[in-house]
C-alpha cells in the first residue's frame, strides 16, 4: 500500500469538498477546506518528499467561468512536479495530450468514457490511441444504490448502469495503466472508509488501484490495508493536516514506510 497525494482544484482554489455535494449549477459545493496556498505549493511539497503517482483533479466543467483559472492552477502544479502527478477532470482525446505535454504522467478519465450511462468503447479506444494505455487512468468513482456500487460521472452527479465488479475491472484493465476509485458517498466526510468498496478492490488487485474516500484515522489505514490485501493504494484528503484535518502528513509518510 502506497500513499498517493491529491490536489483538488475548484473555482480556481485548492479545496477539499464533500464529494456528493458538487453541482455544476452555480459551481457550488460544500467546502471542508480552502487553501491559502496554490496548487504548485503542494506539487513542490510532494516532489521534495519524493511522493509520486498522486492526482490533480479539476472539479469545474469546461463550460464553467472558473474553468480557465482552475486549469491554470493545474498546469502550474504539473510544471512544478513534471511526471510526478496525474491530471483529471474534463479529459478528452482533444486535450489529453496537452496535459501530458504540460508534465502529467497520466490523464484520468471518467465522464468521457462512461457517457450516456454506458461504457463507450469507441471513446475509450480513441483515448488509448491518442495517449497510449500506459498514460491512462480510469476513474471508477462509485456510489451505493440498493446495496451495489455503480460508477458515477459528471462530477459524481449521474449514475451509470456499470457496476463495480471483477468483470468490469477485467474488461477495462485492457485499456488503462491504473484505476482510481472514489467512494463518493463517504468522500470528504472523514467518517471512515467504504469497506465493501475496499474489499472489491483488494479482491481484484491485478493492476495498481488507488482508493479515495472517508479515511480519517490510522485505524482506517489499517482496515484498508487488510481489506485491500496490501495491494490497494490510498489518497487522503480532508483528514490530512495539509487540508485542515487531524492526520499529520509526516506521520502518514512514516506509516507508509512501515506498511
Amino acid at each position: 500500500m502506497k500513499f498517493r497525494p491529491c490536489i483538488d482544484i475548484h473555482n480556481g482554489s485548492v479545496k477539499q469538498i464533500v464529494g456528493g455535494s458538487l453541482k455544476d449549477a452555480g459551481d457550488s459545493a460544500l467546502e471542508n477546506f480552502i487553501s491559502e496556498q496554490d496548487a504548485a505549493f503542494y506539487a513542490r511539497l510532494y516532489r521534495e518528499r519524493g511522493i509520486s503517482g498522486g492526482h490533480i483533479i479539476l472539479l469545474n466543467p469546461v463550460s464553467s467561468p472558473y474553468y480557465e483559472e482552475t486549469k491554470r492552477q493545474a498546469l502550474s502544479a504539473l510544471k512544478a512536479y513534471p511526471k510526478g502527478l496525474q491530471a483529471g477532470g474534463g479529459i478528452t482525446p482533444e486535450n489529453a495530450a496537452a496535459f501530458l505535454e504540460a508534465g502529467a504522467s497520466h490523464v484520468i478519465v471518467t465522464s468521457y468514457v462512461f457517457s450516456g450511462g454506458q461504457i463507450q468503447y469507441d471513446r475509450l479506444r480513441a483515448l488509448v490511441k491518442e495517449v497510449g494505455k500506459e498514460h491512462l487512468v480510469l476513474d471508477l468513482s462509485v456510489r451505493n444504490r440498493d446495496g451495489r456500487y455503480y460508477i458515477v460521472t459528471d462530477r459524481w452527479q449521474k449514475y451509470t448502469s456499470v457496476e463495480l465488479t471483477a468483470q468490469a475491472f477485467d474488461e477495462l484493465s485492457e485499456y488503462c495503466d491504473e484505476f482510481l476509485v472514489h467512494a463518493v458517498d463517504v468522500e470528504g466526510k472523514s467518517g471512515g472508509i467504504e469497506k465493501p468498496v475496499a474489499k472489491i478492490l483488494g479482491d481484484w488487485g491485478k493492476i495498481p488501484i488507488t482508493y479515495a474516500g472517508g479515511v480519517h484515522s490510522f485505524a482506517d489505514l489499517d482496515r484498508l490495508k487488510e481489506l485491500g490485501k496490501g495491494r490497494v493504494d490510498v489518497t487522503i484528503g480532508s483528514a490530512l493536516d495539509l487540508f485542515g484535518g487531524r492526520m499529520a502528513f509526516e506521520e502518514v509518510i512514516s506509516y507508509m514506510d512501515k506498511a
Side-chain angles (χ1 to χ4, degrees), residues 15-45:
K15 295 183 183 180
Q16 286 294 310
I17 67 168
V18 177
S21 73
L22 191 60
K23 298 290 186 294
D24 286 349
D27 294 291
S28 64
L30 294 177
E31 299 166 339
N32 287 328
F33 176 82
I34 304 175
S35 179
E36 296 180 356
Q37 305 290 347
D38 63 9
F41 167 86
Y42 292 97
R44 288 191 294 268
L45 174 63

Side-chain angles (χ1 to χ4, degrees), residues 29 37 45 88 95 106 117 123 128 160 166 190 197-198 200-201 214 216 241 246 258:
Q37 305 290 347
L45 174 63
N95 65 11
H106 298 70
R123 292 187 168 196
V128 172
T160 71
S190 294
V197 172
I200 292 169
L201 307 190
H216 80 306
D241 63 351
R246 296 182 178 180
K258 299 172 185 176

Side-chain angles (χ1 to χ4, degrees), residues 33-189:
F33 176 82
I34 304 175
S35 179
E36 296 180 356
Q37 305 290 347
D38 63 9
F41 167 86
Y42 292 97
R44 288 191 294 268
L45 174 63
Y46 302 148
R47 184 195 67 204
E48 289 164 4
R49 294 310 309 272
I51 306 167
S52 61
H55 54 274
I56 301 169
I57 302 295
L58 292 75
L59 292 172
N60 294 103
V62 175
S63 59
S64 167
Y66 295 99
Y67 177 77
E68 287 304 321
E69 178 57 22
T70 291
K71 181 181 176 182
R72 188 189 70 77
Q73 286 278 343
L75 294 178
S76 71
L78 294 175
K79 183 178 180 181
Y81 192 3
K83 307 305 179 185
L85 296 165
Q86 305 166 356
I91 299 295
T92 68
E94 287 71 36
N95 65 11
F99 283 96
L100 294 176
E101 291 167 3
S105 65
H106 298 70
V107 289
I108 307 167
V109 182
T110 304
S111 299
Y112 180 79
V113 167
F114 297 95
S115 177
Q118 304 289 333
I119 302 171
Q120 303 294 333
Y121 282 100
D122 57 335
R123 292 187 168 196
L124 187 50
R125 285 188 286 268
L127 277 165
V128 172
K129 182 179 180 180
E130 180 66 26
V131 304
K133 173 184 175 180
E134 69 276 13
H135 294 299
L136 184 60
V137 176
L138 290 180
D139 183 340
L140 308 187
S141 294
V142 294
R143 303 187 79 165
N144 189 320
R145 187 168 65 187
D146 300 325
R148 297 182 177 182
Y149 292 90
Y150 292 88
I151 296 170
V152 290
T153 67
D154 299 280
R155 286 151 300 284
W156 308 322
Q157 297 169 45
K158 296 180 181 178
Y159 278 90
T160 71
S161 62
V162 184
E163 186 180 352
L164 193 72
T165 63
Q167 181 180 351
F169 279 129
D170 282 338
E171 293 176 3
L172 293 169
S173 64
E174 296 295 320
Y175 299 91
C176 66
D177 196 45
E178 298 184 11
F179 291 113
L180 170 63
V181 180
H182 289 86
V184 177
D185 293 323
V186 297
E187 176 78 15
K189 297 180 180 179

